[in-house]
Amino acid sequence: MSKMRCPNCNSKDIGKIGSHQFYCWGCFIELSVNGEKMSVYQVEEDGTLSSLDDLFFEEEMPLIQEHAN
């Protein structure tokens, strides 16, 4: 795997916490990678995850749909 960068803070300080799960030590978010799709989560105080995908990927969705045609 090539060196991943955090989509939030651009840090390369990413730790692997599962087979497809990573953690950014720069801004403390969790990343899940499944093939070409990445999901971003905020870790809450109680340990649950809240999706941040709408903040990071909402603007890219129309571009992907336009190029698919």
Side-chain angles (χ1 to χ4, degrees), residues 44-60:
E44 302 295 345
E45 287 183 17
D46 64 359
T48 59
L49 300 176
S50 298
S51 177
L52 299 176
D53 286 357
D54 55 340
L55 298 175
F56 288 97
F57 305 118
E58 185 176 275
E59 294 175 6
E60 295 177 19

Side-chain angles (χ1 to χ4, degrees), residues 7-63:
N8 184 47
C9 70
N10 208 33
S11 171
K12 289 186 192 178
D13 195 8
I14 305 288
K16 188 169 186 170
I17 58 174
S19 60
H20 300 286
Q21 294 174 299
F22 303 88
Y23 186 78
C24 177
W25 290 100
C27 64
F28 314 111
I29 63 171
E30 189 170 310
L31 310 167
S32 176
V33 180
N34 186 4
E36 296 294 318
K37 184 178 187 290
M38 177 185 287
S39 295
V40 182
Y41 302 94
Q42 175 177 326
V43 182
E44 302 295 345
E45 287 183 17
D46 64 359
T48 59
L49 300 176
S50 298
S51 177
L52 299 176
D53 286 357
D54 55 340
L55 298 175
F56 288 97
F57 305 118
E58 185 176 275
E59 294 175 6
E60 295 177 19
M61 294 297 263
L63 294 175

